[in-house]
């Protein structure tokens, strides 16, 4: 099967774009980068959506909500199969923003990115926040951690096969980064 067969159709991409909560410049730019072959259609849809001021404040019917959920699920499945490493597309500025949004030192975010923290030691609440901040899902992060990938996709000349090395617990990473005890307790809590 060729790579083109794995790409979502134009209609699927447009449906996914239409159900985004924000249709601003950042969302449009992200879709244009992911699907440059549909640039004209995405721009047209973006213009149309920005013009249409919906005054209908009624909640969605269960049937409408299920259609949206099904379309969104198809889109997420298509994106997750085309994205082997959900964190690979993030820039240095993106990582700074992630650290700022999560209110943790960049050292902790780097350890997460390089899979030096054991996934099982990360509280689900924090993992959800990390997934949101990196524009991925918990399922994508779990697949990323379990995949036999090299940390950070770095290239080195070595006699042996590179490996991730020993992982530490999330708490240990916070301690090594100098996060105060009360802040650690907040980050390690499973509920707010």
């Amino acid at each position: 099967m060729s790579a083109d067969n794995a790409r979502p159709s134009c209609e699927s991409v447009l449906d996914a774009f239409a159900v985004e909560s924000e249709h601003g410049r950042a969302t449009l730019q992200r879709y244009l980068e992911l699907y440059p072959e549909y640039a004209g259609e995405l721009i047209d849809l973006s213009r149309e959506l920005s013009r249409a001021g919906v005054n209908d404040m009624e909640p969605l019917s269960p049937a409408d909500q299920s259609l949206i959920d099904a379309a969104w699920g198809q889109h997420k499945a298509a994106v997750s199969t085309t994205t082997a490493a959900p964190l690979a597309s993030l820039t240095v500025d993106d990582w700074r923003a992630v650290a700022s949004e999560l209110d943790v030192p960049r050292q902790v975010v780097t350890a997460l990115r390089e899979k030096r923290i054991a996934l099982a030691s990360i509280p689900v609440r924090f993992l959800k926040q990390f997934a949101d901040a990196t524009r991925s899902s918990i399922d994508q992060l779990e697949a990323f951690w379990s995949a036999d990938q090299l940390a950070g996709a770095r290239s080195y000349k070595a006699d042996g096969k590179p490996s991730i090395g020993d992982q530490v617990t999330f708490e240990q990473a916070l301690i090594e980064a100098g996060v105060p005890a009360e802040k650690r307790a907040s980050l390690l809590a499973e509920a707010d």
Side-chain angles (χ1 to χ4, degrees):
M1 172 164 54
S2 69
D4 291 343
N5 291 343
R7 299 287 289 171
S9 69
C10 180
E11 184 177 329
S12 296
V13 172
L14 294 176
D15 287 345
F17 181 83
V19 298
E20 286 282 346
S21 60
E22 294 287 331
H23 298 108
R25 183 181 185 111
T27 305
L28 177 60
Q29 186 64 35
R30 188 176 79 234
Y31 273 79
L32 290 173
E33 289 173 4
L34 289 170
Y35 310 104
E37 64 270 24
Y38 308 134
E41 294 88 347
L42 283 166
I43 291 170
D44 290 344
L45 178 59
S46 174
R47 286 182 181 156
E48 187 175 324
L49 290 172
S50 68
R51 271 188 263 139
V54 177
N55 294 328
D56 185 6
M57 299 307 282
E58 292 181 32
L60 294 173
S61 71
D64 289 341
Q65 187 62 48
S66 67
L67 285 172
I68 291 170
D69 292 342
W72 187 246
Q74 287 177 338
H75 171 70
K76 283 176 39 177
V79 170
S80 66
T81 59
T82 60
T83 306
L87 309 179
S89 64
L90 298 177
T91 66
V92 172
D93 289 336
D94 291 337
W95 285 112
R96 285 186 187 120
V98 168
S100 176
E101 185 177 331
L102 297 174
D103 195 24
V104 295
R106 287 192 0 219
Q107 173 182 344
V108 173
V109 173
T110 300
L112 289 165
R113 180 185 74 212
E114 295 180 350
K115 301 189 288 188
R116 288 186 281 138
I117 297 176
L119 179 63
S121 70
I122 303 171
V124 174
R125 182 178 62 87
F126 183 86
L127 192 60
K128 170 81 173 102
Q129 292 170 342
F130 182 64
D132 291 343
T134 57
R135 298 182 302 269
S136 61
S137 68
I138 290 179
D139 290 339
Q140 287 176 312
L141 292 177
E142 288 174 344
F144 171 69
W145 247 276
S146 65
D148 187 26
Q149 300 174 12
L150 300 178
R154 296 181 181 159
S155 175
Y156 299 99
K157 286 189 174 184
D159 292 333
K161 182 178 179 182
S163 65
I164 293 171
D166 292 334
Q167 291 183 324
V168 297
T169 64
F170 182 60
E171 182 175 21
Q172 184 62 38
L174 294 173
I175 291 169
E176 290 173 4
V179 175
E182 57 197 41
K183 177 77 174 164
R184 277 196 318 266
S186 169
L187 291 169
L188 292 167
E190 282 293 343
D192 289 329

